[in-house]
Amino acid sequence: MGVTVDYEAEIRALKRSMNAVILAHYYQESEVQDVADFVGDSLALAQAAEKTDADVIVFCGVHFMAETAKILNPTRQVLLPDLKAGCSLSDRCPPAAFKAFKEKHPGAFVVSYVNSSAAVKAMSDVICTSSNAVRIVNQIPKDRPILFAPDQHLGRHVMKQTGRDMVLWPGSCIVHEIFSEKKLVGLKVEHPDAEVVAHPECEQQVLRHADFIGSTKAILDYVVKSPKSKFIVVTEAGILHQMKKSAPHKTYIPAPPDNGCACNECPYMRLNTLEKLYRCMRDRTPELVLPADLQGAALAPLKRMLEWSA
């Protein structure tokens, strides 16, 4: 019989010996969230990455998040448990196509969602997350036309909130675009006492049924503070773990996608496991490496985002 490894204990020991910090997104598996030093959404994780004094950053999320950490920490080692943990939204905005798109709109101020590649970030004026997108766009000079990429649904939500017209890249997230309006309405009928909380990456026909629309962190804060006790949650189901930890007396119902699954999970986020986290720390691989010139070009718009979000 094989030897059973206590992955949590081994990870904590490695963390001390490596002077490492483990950052995890809300959409990670619950056991990965529980062993992390910091759990958050894209903005909070970028802020944590910028402030860390650790020698090694272990990023439990997807590829673009680890890239962001590396751009903000060019001299530190950044590890990612599974390099195949990509992002459908980022993949749907190839750098060459985005360059051509940008060239069709000379003089436009380019806002790129953090769910984009380092190459797309490098062609941008400022980066945003779903937490700060409205705040970021409100700070752009009124006389500048705006390009917004890659999520069209978040872009439309921001346009509605700010009153700014923007040219939108036609991208979307496979997790958030597949929520079923019909099934959501059915859940509302079944649970008339529940509030619907939704992420702005969802399609407009889904968002119109929401009582609250916000980033993953904003949704978490909302359900914890709300006097209501039941919520239909229209975003990736990984956030339910933190909701149950923060307000265990409340009821959370994951909105189902338009297929046979009971809840909606990101297949890329779920590639990271506790065992892969242990192995990547033990072996110090896979490591996220970026060309120095690309890191430098992408740093300025990321720094602008953090300054405008302060």
Side-chain angles (χ1 to χ4, degrees):
M1 292 180 65
V3 177
T4 301
V5 178
D6 185 342
Y7 291 120
E8 289 191 19
E10 292 292 333
I11 288 166
R12 290 191 172 95
L14 283 166
K15 188 169 63 176
R16 289 190 295 271
S17 66
M18 297 166 64
N19 187 27
V21 63
I22 301 173
L23 307 180
H25 193 273
Y26 287 128
Y27 297 165
Q28 292 291 285
E29 296 282 3
S30 57
E31 59 265 28
V32 173
Q33 293 187 41
D34 288 344
V35 80
D37 298 292
F38 187 88
V39 181
D41 62 5
S42 296
L43 175 60
L45 291 170
Q47 291 169 329
E50 185 189 38
K51 294 173 184 174
T52 188
D53 57 2
D55 295 323
V56 180
I57 299 171
V58 187
F59 215 113
C60 298
V62 292
H63 199 272
F64 76 79
M65 296 177 180
E67 282 187 339
T68 299
K70 184 63 177 179
I71 292 163
L72 293 169
N73 297 274
T75 63
R76 291 192 171 99
Q77 185 177 44
V78 176
L79 303 176
L80 183 64
D82 193 326
L83 279 178
K84 297 187 185 72
C87 170
S88 61
L89 181 55
S90 178
D91 291 345
R92 290 173 174 182
C93 189
F98 183 73
K99 183 175 183 290
F101 174 73
K102 179 182 174 181
E103 288 171 350
K104 290 180 181 177
H105 303 277
F109 197 95
V110 180
V111 182
S112 289
Y113 190 26
V114 71
N115 299 42
S116 57
S117 66
V120 167
K121 288 182 175 71
M123 290 184 269
S124 307
D125 292 297
V126 69
I127 309 306
C128 75
T129 72
S130 54
S131 290
N132 64 15
V134 169
R135 187 174 180 182
I136 293 292
V137 169
N138 276 332
Q139 294 178 72
I140 298 170
K142 300 293 184 185
D143 60 343
R144 294 287 299 276
I146 302 172
L147 297 187
F148 188 94
D151 192 276
Q152 60 182 314
H153 304 304
L154 175 62
R156 289 192 188 95
H157 176 72
V158 172
M159 287 170 65
K160 187 180 295 185
Q161 297 298 308
T162 63
R164 297 294 299 270
D165 190 28
M166 302 191 298
V167 178
L168 305 178
W169 176 271
S172 56
C173 162
I174 60 169
V175 174
H176 290 94
E177 73 178 349
I178 202 173
F179 282 111
S180 166
E181 180 187 17
K182 181 179 179 181
K183 291 181 179 179
L184 176 58
V185 171
L187 278 178
K188 289 185 69 173
V189 172
E190 187 179 346
H191 304 278
D193 54 336
E195 281 194 316
V196 176
V197 293
H199 195 282
E201 285 182 31
C202 296
E203 295 181 332
Q204 299 302 301
Q205 64 264 31
V206 170
L207 292 179
R208 68 185 181 182
H209 298 286
D211 298 291
F212 178 80
I213 301 170
S215 69
T216 318
K217 177 64 163 61
I219 290 173
L220 175 61
D221 290 344
Y222 180 84
V223 302
V224 170
K225 295 174 183 175
S226 173
K228 295 280 188 175
S229 60
K230 185 184 288 187
F231 302 90
I232 299 169
V233 182
V234 195
T235 190
E236 213 276 356
I239 188 59
L240 298 180
H241 180 60
Q242 293 298 323
M243 290 177 173
K244 292 171 183 175
K245 287 176 69 173
S246 300
H249 58 289
K250 297 187 177 185
T251 301
Y252 308 103
I253 305 160
D258 197 12
N259 56 34
C261 298
C263 64
N264 215 1
E265 296 180 346
C266 174
Y268 299 106
M269 286 282 187
R270 303 306 164 120
L271 287 176
N272 296 317
T273 64
L274 206 60
E275 180 179 355
K276 288 180 183 177
L277 173 56
Y278 159 67
R279 293 184 185 280
C280 96
M281 294 178 72
R282 182 194 66 186
D283 302 335
R284 292 203 177 214
T285 187
E287 179 179 0
L288 197 289
V289 180
L290 291 171
D293 58 341
L294 181 57
Q295 286 184 196
L299 180 60
L302 270 170
K303 283 286 192 181
R304 182 173 285 134
M305 175 190 78
L306 294 170
E307 290 165 4
W308 287 12
S309 302

